[in-house]
Amino acid sequence: MSTLTLTGITKRYGSVAAVDNVSLKVEHGTRTAVVGPSGSGKTTLLRLIAGFEPPEAGCIAIDGEVVADQGVIVPAHRRSVGVVSQHGALFPHLTVAGNIGFGMGRRAKDRDRRIAELLDAVELPQAMGGRKPRDLSGGEQQRVALARALARRPRLMLLDEPFSSLDTSLREVMRAMVARVLDDAGTTTVLVTHDQAEALSFADRVAVLHRGQLVQAGSPQDLYFRPQSPMVAAFLGDIVALPAVIEGDLAVCALGSIAVTADGRAGTTTIFLRPEQLRLVPTTAVDSDGEVIGSGFAGPTSTVIVSLGKRPEPLRVRMSSQDAPPVGTPVKFVVLGKARILP
Amino acid sequence: MTSFAVAVSLLALLPFGFIIWETLTTGWETAVSLIFRRRVGELLINTLLLEALAIPLCCAIAVALAWLTERSDLPGARFWAWLGVAPLAVPAFVQSYAWVSMFPGIHGLGGGVLVSVVTYFPFVYLPVAAQLRQLDPAIEDAASALGLGPWAVFFRAVLPQLRLAIVGGALLVGLHLLAEYGLFAMIRFDTFTTAIVDQFQSTFNGVAANMLADVLVLCCLGLLLLEGRARGDGGYARVGGGSARAAMRKQLGVWLLPALALLVMICCLSLGIPVITLYRWLAAGGVAIWDFDALGGALGQTLVLSLAGAALTTLAAMPLAWLSVRAPGRLHRLLEACHYYLGALPGVVIALALVTIAVRVALPLYQTAANLLFAYVLLFLPRALVSIRASIAQAPVELEWTSASLGRSPMATIWTVTLRLAAPGIFAGMALVGMGITTELTATLLLAPTGVHTLATRFWSLTSELDYAAAAPYAVMMVVWSLPLTFLLYMQSRRVAGR
């Protein structure tokens, strides 16, 4: 059963449509990432679901209950939707325990026990319960915000870029922790982020938002390997785009004849590869596809720039620094897997 | 909420509307004959000279003091910072009472400038010191890396960044100079405000006083325009994220002694003279001057008036402050701008308008506490607005949303989150207004009902009878009362700077 159903949601600010006719279903117990460049309307969408703002058109239903439709607006405090925002938004006048217990009701019988459980769940020491938010690090604040949102056992959890203010090393630890905690609680989750790697690794389903419109939704693999638009292809990862002529299952291009998923198409078109599909092999001048003209060292990996004889633009290939051929080496490309036609 | 805010703003516009109405109905010839005369010319020259001399002096002293306390290795910098703010605890007319007692010959422009500078320089010192604490030292580092010497760094990299603070403080000083009555009356230096009060008290000549008020209002407007010009359009935002590193303190070296001498001199002039004078009068007067009935009566009435005034002002300011934080729009900007300009109206103009309106339109209001309280609300509304707005901004709307997502209803959210977080600031704003009322003299003199005596008016009538000794206890009480206010202002300025 779907926990969240959005049908034709639209929200305008002035003449700009921040969210434009978006429809989306989120299945019970799953994690969905809404990803898009900044200004694509993803935070607005989240605010509409949370009930902080009403949509102009469209219908929002949670667990089958309509919470926003023409004339019906259930206010945020009656939706039972948890929210964790970018900076945590902890109440500065309350302790950590006070924050976690904020939504519980002051005289709930098992209040103290629940707070202790939640502190455990987000891997914070019990002693932290008495501290004030200002004494906590960014990561600890996010953990408290998550525990606070979970305390009410929400039907739906909304995460608004909760990891983006943390530094890179902490981000992955937090991501894994949050995923585990939400799985344990069986909470349906919608994550909003501009970080494609985060979206692909965190979610079961990814929805790409662009200029307020939902351009594609599907499993992470589906979106990464089978994008339906150049925008999605380029947004979810680096691409190498090449003009090619399709002949059956082969594409003839600057890299020679390579395997392609043609889906019945033929003739002149543009194909794309993910850079990790390319391997560089040093070779003799006669046999080569091109020559290394530059190299950017970045520790474990290097970006090798290869000029192809027939092609004006050089190709950039990221590879292990150990294998990176020096400038001037004639090289040949080995293509792993199949190229795809850029829609 | 909006309609309440609009209603408050319309009421606040009353004195201003009155001035325009008066000018229009006076008739062109009468107005010209009353405005273009020798007396007005003299007053104008007095006022301009006072502003032109006192403001730059205040700025120079304040900037020097701020740099020494914030950026040099001056021993006891924190203590000196306190002394830089402490003169605010001495009401302007008490300051000039101290000077007249010490130097009975003091009068005229020289005296006016001297006493105003020692009274008002903290108005510039506070924002400048706050700004100096906030400056990103990276800019100074960059300037020295580009080959500037220490003095050049100060004048070309630091001073320009202090511009907003200096100009803002200077405007405050300028407006106080225009509005102050007691200070200048005591040392017999005529300004528009003293002339208006004299005119009013001697002949109750409404029209003449109103025309003088016209010119005074124009002077205020001129100052505001000048400030807008001097402020420039420059924002001096920090480029890049992260918080600024604390600045290194410069070593004074051989300059230590001159610096200390300057500080000691400023403190002697601004604090030493009032302290010594009050002590001398108290010692000379002995027990005889402590008339506890009169003192207690004045204290009680002052307390009631300040509490009621503070509560009313806060109540009136609340909706407008709320709107400007939560629902900023064109209407609120208009309302805010109108309060900004009204904040520049001198107390004497407001009082004059309210007296005349009461006499002509609503006689039952004449000489009532209600009319006086209304004047207080108008006088202190802009000040209350600033602190309440800042305190509501302390409770970001994000927290209200979070509270809603955790199941609290809107009313419960306002009580348990917004007001809870804003409360300290709102109380601080109330305290500021209350203590401002305690030492308010001009409007109270003109509007207080018969039989109502505040500490300030008692003090004033005693000094007018030249009974300086008997006035001393009132002065002491006002200073003691103003100390918490001073502390509050000091703490606020530090909080603004984020420390």
Side-chain angles (χ1 to χ4, degrees):
Chain A
M1 186 190 119
S2 300
T3 292
L4 172 69
T5 313
L6 306 178
T7 322
I9 298 297
T10 298
K11 176 78 185 178
R12 261 179 260 276
Y13 293 111
S15 61
V16 185
V19 172
D20 189 1
N21 196 21
V22 168
S23 298
L24 182 71
K25 272 188 163 58
V26 175
E27 301 299 320
H28 182 74
T30 60
R31 290 201 295 273
T32 298
V34 174
V35 65
S38 54
S40 59
K42 47 193 194 307
T43 297
T44 306
L45 187 65
L46 194 125
R47 291 162 46 75
L48 297 175
I49 301 171
F52 301 149
E53 281 179 81
E56 248 147 63
C59 167
I60 302 173
I62 299 172
D63 275 348
E65 179 206 351
V66 173
V67 294
D69 197 355
Q70 260 24 61
V72 185
I73 296 293
V74 176
H77 65 278
R78 301 223 184 87
R79 288 197 184 186
S80 186
V81 171
V83 179
V84 177
S85 66
Q86 191 169 350
H87 299 288
L90 298 186
F91 300 113
H93 59 296
L94 298 176
T95 60
V96 166
N99 265 285
I100 296 177
F102 188 86
M104 277 189 213
R106 223 159 286 178
R107 276 175 289 278
K109 278 196 300 292
D110 55 347
R111 184 186 155 97
D112 292 341
R113 192 179 51 78
R114 278 282 288 155
I115 292 174
E117 274 174 17
L118 285 159
L119 278 171
D120 272 342
V122 297
E123 295 165 9
L124 287 176
Q126 293 297 329
M128 203 165 265
R131 306 257 292 270
K132 283 286 180 84
R134 61 170 175 274
D135 302 325
L136 269 54
S137 71
E140 288 165 345
Q141 293 193 13
Q142 289 295 40
R143 286 167 197 259
V144 175
L146 179 69
R148 178 178 68 179
L150 278 171
R152 285 171 52 82
R153 300 194 178 90
R155 299 187 282 188
L156 177 66
M157 178 72 82
L158 304 176
L159 308 177
D160 184 5
E161 307 232 6
F163 312 116
S164 64
S165 59
L166 308 175
D167 50 39
T168 335
S169 54
L170 193 60
R171 217 177 282 178
E172 281 183 30
V173 180
M174 278 291 287
R175 204 147 59 202
M177 189 277 297
V178 171
R180 185 183 52 68
V181 171
L182 290 170
D183 275 349
D184 289 352
T187 312
T188 313
T189 305
V190 175
L191 165 78
V192 152
T193 178
H194 65 271
D195 180 340
Q196 30 84 16
E198 186 168 294
L200 294 173
S201 64
F202 182 81
D204 311 314
R205 259 170 74 83
V206 175
V208 180
L209 213 56
H210 185 51
R211 298 200 180 127
Q213 292 179 323
L214 187 72
V215 276
Q216 194 177 348
S219 73
Q221 290 81 1
D222 214 30
L223 262 72
Y224 188 72
F225 292 118
R226 286 177 290 282
Q228 281 161 14
S229 66
M231 183 266 151
V232 174
F235 183 71
L236 292 180
D238 293 337
I239 55 170
V240 175
L242 297 164
V245 179
I246 309 293
E247 292 170 359
D249 285 340
L250 290 178
V252 181
C253 65
L255 304 181
S257 285
I258 59 177
V260 67
T261 309
D263 296 330
R265 291 180 56 179
T268 309
T269 183
T270 306
I271 59 165
F272 82 93
L273 292 156
R274 294 291 179 190
E276 65 272 14
Q277 286 182 272
L278 293 176
R279 287 274 185 282
L280 274 186
V281 185
T283 181
T284 57
V286 191
D287 216 17
S288 71
D289 289 330
E291 186 189 302
V292 176
I293 55 166
S295 176
F297 178 69
T301 61
S302 292
T303 302
V304 177
I305 305 167
V306 180
S307 109
L308 299 176
K310 305 153 229 168
R311 203 166 172 272
E313 268 174 67
L315 284 187
R316 294 161 171 276
V317 183
R318 210 168 32 241
M319 59 191 300
S320 159
S321 294
Q322 294 296 325
D323 301 333
V327 172
T329 317
V331 287
K332 198 171 140 64
F333 284 97
V334 174
V335 178
L336 307 176
K338 290 180 173 180
R340 286 175 200 281
I341 294 173
L342 197 64
Chain B
M1 195 88 98
T2 310
S3 50
F4 190 81
V6 171
V8 167
S9 303
L10 285 180
L11 276 180
L13 278 170
L14 204 59
F16 193 69
F18 165 80
I19 295 165
I20 294 176
W21 172 255
E22 276 296 305
T23 316
L24 292 179
T25 53
T26 300
W28 185 245
E29 275 175 34
T30 326
V32 166
S33 69
L34 280 172
I35 290 176
F36 294 95
R37 56 189 169 119
R38 237 186 109 85
R39 176 73 178 140
V40 177
E42 285 167 11
L43 291 175
L44 196 61
I45 289 171
N46 270 358
T47 306
L48 290 181
L49 280 176
L50 178 70
E51 298 268 348
L53 291 172
I55 295 179
L57 274 171
C58 280
C59 292
I61 289 180
V63 171
L65 196 59
W67 189 86
L68 284 172
T69 55
E70 297 301 331
R71 279 303 176 82
S72 76
D73 64 345
L74 185 77
R78 199 65 186 248
F79 169 74
W80 291 110
W82 258 109
L83 292 182
V85 186
L88 284 179
V90 185
F93 51 89
V94 174
Q95 185 75 259
S96 101
Y97 150 87
W99 281 78
V100 170
S101 311
M102 189 87 85
F103 308 103
I106 195 169
H107 76 283
L109 182 65
V113 169
L114 184 62
V115 182
S116 342
V117 169
V118 298
T119 310
Y120 292 128
F121 78 86
F123 283 129
V124 190
Y125 171 79
L126 266 178
V128 170
Q131 182 71 24
L132 259 180
R133 271 195 297 277
Q134 246 176 347
L135 287 191
D136 186 354
I139 290 179
E140 285 153 69
D141 296 347
S144 358
L146 290 169
L148 268 55
W151 287 97
V153 168
F154 179 77
F155 281 104
R156 288 180 53 193
V158 177
L159 204 55
Q161 298 188 77
L162 298 179
R163 180 158 149 183
L164 280 184
I166 295 176
V167 170
L171 173 71
L172 216 54
V173 174
L175 290 175
H176 270 89
L177 291 176
L178 287 179
E180 179 57 36
Y181 165 68
L183 192 166
F184 300 115
M186 188 90 75
I187 56 169
R188 287 164 290 128
F189 177 67
D190 289 342
T191 67
F192 281 109
T193 301
T194 61
I196 294 170
V197 176
D198 287 350
Q199 187 83 258
F200 180 84
Q201 288 182 330
S202 57
T203 59
F204 198 86
N205 187 339
V207 181
N210 285 331
M211 289 307 110
L212 287 176
D214 267 359
V215 185
L216 179 57
V217 169
L218 285 179
C219 288
C220 291
L221 204 65
L223 261 186
L224 285 176
L225 290 177
L226 218 63
E227 190 251 5
R229 272 290 180 82
R231 184 200 278 264
D233 54 359
Y236 299 102
R238 252 167 57 70
V239 182
S243 57
R245 175 171 58 80
M248 288 276 293
R249 285 178 176 269
K250 295 264 182 330
Q251 295 192 346
L252 283 172
V254 290
W255 292 93
L256 179 61
L257 277 181
L260 278 176
L262 176 74
L263 292 174
V264 169
M265 190 187 79
I266 295 173
C267 286
C268 282
L269 294 182
S270 62
L271 295 170
I273 291 192
V275 167
I276 293 172
T277 311
L278 286 178
Y279 175 76
R280 274 187 12 200
W281 284 124
L282 287 182
V287 192
I289 56 172
W290 293 88
D291 174 357
F292 284 104
D293 282 349
L295 262 173
L299 183 64
Q301 286 181 329
T302 308
L303 266 176
V304 170
L305 280 174
S306 2
L307 282 178
L312 278 174
T313 311
T314 309
L315 218 59
M318 204 79 99
L320 196 63
W322 179 278
L323 281 181
S324 72
V325 176
R326 285 291 187 264
R330 198 171 299 165
L331 176 70
H332 112 261
R333 267 203 297 281
L334 184 77
L335 295 182
E336 235 184 349
C338 113
H339 283 284
Y340 172 74
Y341 285 106
L342 290 175
L345 276 189
V348 67
V349 174
I350 291 178
L352 197 60
L354 291 187
V355 169
T356 322
I357 292 173
V359 168
R360 290 206 204 138
V361 186
L363 199 58
L365 277 180
Y366 180 60
Q367 288 248 326
T368 57
N371 208 14
L372 181 60
L373 285 175
F374 184 44
Y376 287 151
V377 171
L378 295 190
L379 264 175
F380 293 104
L381 192 63
R383 213 184 282 186
L385 211 52
V386 172
S387 24
I388 295 176
R389 189 176 47 205
S391 59
I392 291 182
Q394 292 284 308
V397 70
E398 215 187 359
L399 291 182
E400 287 178 12
W401 292 335
T402 306
S403 168
S405 81
L406 292 168
R408 293 257 169 119
S409 69
M411 272 317 284
T413 296
I414 286 184
W415 271 112
T416 56
V417 177
T418 320
L419 283 183
R420 169 63 189 78
L421 287 171
I426 292 176
F427 282 121
M430 271 178 85
L432 277 182
V433 174
M435 290 184 271
I437 293 175
T438 314
T439 54
E440 211 289 331
L441 177 65
T442 327
T444 318
L445 274 181
L446 266 57
L447 289 171
T450 343
V452 169
H453 301 285
T454 66
L455 292 175
T457 56
R458 269 274 191 233
F459 170 84
W460 192 249
S461 59
L462 286 169
T463 53
S464 308
E465 295 157 14
L466 298 181
D467 194 351
Y468 283 10
Y474 292 93
V476 170
M477 282 168 84
M478 278 186 285
V479 171
V480 169
W481 251 115
S482 304
L483 277 172
L485 166 89
T486 313
F487 180 73
L488 215 72
L489 281 173
Y490 178 77
M491 292 318 283
Q492 250 182 11
S493 82
R494 293 202 84 89
R495 201 156 341 114
V496 167
R499 297 280 161 90

